[in-house]
Amino acid sequence: MHHPATLATGSSSARNPSLSHWESVTRQANTNARETGSGSALAGYEQALSIARQLFVAPPPGRAEDCVAALVVSCHNLADLHLEHGDANLAASYLCRAHETLIALILDTDRSASLRQAALRHSRTTHLALVSHMAAHGPHPLITRVIRMGCLALNVDGPTHH
């Protein structure tokens, strides 16, 4: 299942990536996957991830939520694609990359509060994707490490203080 692209605005310049460019590339990759098979979608999904990474580093004003979502959707589309090809290990690495990136952002006090809050909201989705992957494909050492790292970083394993 490929995640839909539902973001819009901005120009489509390759030097100045925009959410609309990311959306267009993602939609085309989804179409390729649907019409000609997932093999033809790989380059598009990789391009979408590259755009999402650039947007994630420098989100347009007021678009932090959408930029975080673009990164997560791009990683999850690539994970889904690799699962369709029977490569659960590569799929796991994309799921882990998404979660690790969000955890790092949450902890980065140099980034804006809106971006960090968006990362926290989306980390629930990436955490669930990791747990679901393990439920469907069995334990995976990279996923176990990333989940543990996320829990320790966010101190969810420790006692709650009131």
Side-chain angles (χ1 to χ4, degrees), residues 75 78-80 82-83 87-96 133:
C75 286
L78 281 160
D80 290 345
H82 289 293
L83 277 176
D87 194 341
N89 284 328
L90 193 50
S93 72
Y94 279 104
L95 297 175
C96 288
H133 185 85

Side-chain angles (χ1 to χ4, degrees), residues 116-129:
R116 293 172 66 212
Q117 289 167 356
L120 181 60
R121 282 188 294 278
H122 286 277
S123 71
R124 294 178 190 122
T125 301
T126 58
H127 181 90
L128 180 59

